[in-house]
Every structure is written in structure tokens, then in C-alpha cells.
Amino acid sequence: MGSGKTTIGKILSEKLNLNFVDVDWFIEQRFHKTIGGLFQEYGEARFREIEKNILHEISEFEDVVIATGGGTPCFSDNMDFMKKKGTVIYLNVSPHRLFERLKKAKQQRPLLKDKTDEELIDYISRMLEIRRPVYNRADVIHQFEHLDPEPDKPEMTELLIDKLRTDI
């Protein structure tokens, strides 16, 4: 959450002349509910099942860049599945940088909106600690610390494209 998956995914897809699909957006359109609303209504286990099914559906699309939710790779066999279907990219961002980004937008994120700054940094650090072993299995790990300024996003994406060309 907050690493720039959707923003960078859109730019990457444009530069590579591919389609772009955000898994969370796709789920929200399909169910006519927000991700937070689905979590609340169905609970995490059922949401993760929905998410896995949607991931499998989207993976059949051709010529596509897919942005998943932050937890998507960590549940079921999703990371193994994604690696079989394409190149998995992990946008590695420090807890401090994620805190700065998410603090500004926490009111739009149901899981974060009632957290104090201390609770937010603790939450981010715990989630990264739990998820990092799965994230580190990505085909490409790209450090993405300096994403905030708008003009830098295309430049950072070009660096990622260069890395993709050399790593894959």
C-alpha cells in the first residue's frame, strides 16, 4: 500500500504500449463495492478468495501490466502463480517513505484512517516485516524511494524499464 504500484503500472503500460489493469479497481467494478466494503462485508478470508479468482481471470488478458493489492502475493499460491504467468516486480519502498505517503492519504484508506502516526508507522513496519519474504521472491526488485514529485515518475519508470531489460 502506497508504493506506487498503480501510478507506475499505468506509466509502465503506456511506455511499453500494453494495457493496464489494477486488481483492486477491477474487483470494485465487478462487485460495485470498495475494497474496504468487501473486507467489512465478507471478511479477509472470503476477500482473498475473490482476489485470487480475479487475479486468475486478469492473468488471461494479453499484453497487460497488472497492479495487485499489497497483500495479493502473500496469500494462497498467488506469488507462484504470478511468477508462472509473467514478470513480477516489487517496488521496494522504505517504511519511512511509505509512512510519509500514507499519512497524507490515510483518510481515503479504511484500514488506516483511525490510526495515529505512531500506530501507522508500526502497522507499516509490521506488514513489511511479514510480507517482505514473499515480496523478495519477485523477479525484479526495484528501489522506489523518490516517487513523490510528479515530474520524477516517468523518469523513475524509465529506470525500471532499463532494469527490466537487463534483469529479464
Side-chain angles (χ1 to χ4, degrees):
M1 185 185 306
S3 68
K5 297 178 301 293
T6 298
T7 301
I8 296 306
K10 286 178 182 177
I11 297 169
L12 188 62
S13 68
E14 287 174 21
K15 290 191 176 285
L16 297 175
N17 200 28
L18 300 171
N19 295 309
F20 175 76
V21 178
D22 181 285
V23 171
D24 286 348
W25 180 86
F26 197 90
I27 291 170
E28 289 179 342
Q29 296 304 302
R30 171 75 49 89
F31 288 86
H32 304 286
K33 294 179 181 171
T34 65
I35 297 300
L38 289 167
F39 250 86
Q40 197 169 32
E41 184 174 338
Y42 297 122
E44 184 173 15
R46 174 72 177 116
F47 172 78
R48 296 299 178 188
E49 185 180 321
I50 291 167
E51 181 180 57
K52 178 182 178 176
N53 292 337
I54 295 293
L55 177 65
H56 282 245
E57 180 180 341
I58 293 170
S59 74
E60 296 302 318
F61 297 177
E62 293 185 15
D63 302 323
V64 66
V65 171
I66 301 170
T68 68
T72 306
C74 303
F75 292 89
S76 303
D77 64 345
N78 289 344
M79 179 58 95
D80 292 331
F81 177 79
M82 292 185 318
K83 287 176 67 80
K84 286 178 189 169
K85 289 295 198 170
T87 302
V88 177
I89 301 168
Y90 165 33
L91 302 179
N92 188 8
V93 181
S94 72
H96 174 72
R97 178 62 77 183
L98 288 172
F99 169 75
E100 288 178 4
R101 292 182 194 165
L102 293 172
K103 181 177 159 180
K104 296 174 190 172
K106 70 181 187 177
Q107 290 309 315
Q108 293 99 330
R109 299 179 183 267
L111 291 175
L112 306 181
K113 70 176 181 176
D114 295 326
K115 293 188 182 324
T116 64
D117 286 357
E118 187 176 292
E119 291 169 332
L120 180 59
I121 191 71
D122 182 56
Y123 175 80
I124 291 167
S125 297
R126 278 186 295 111
M127 287 293 102
L128 280 176
E129 186 177 321
I130 292 166
R131 294 175 174 181
R132 189 166 277 127
V134 176
Y135 292 168
N136 284 337
R137 293 180 50 220
D139 300 304
V140 175
I141 299 172
H142 191 65
Q143 196 67 33
F144 243 76
E145 286 299 304
H146 308 289
L147 181 62
D148 289 333
E150 278 296 322
D152 290 348
K153 290 176 184 173
E155 181 182 320
M156 295 299 289
T157 307
E158 283 296 332
L159 293 174
L160 176 57
I161 291 170
D162 290 343
K163 188 172 192 165
L164 285 169
R165 288 183 179 130
T166 58
D167 286 0
I168 299 300

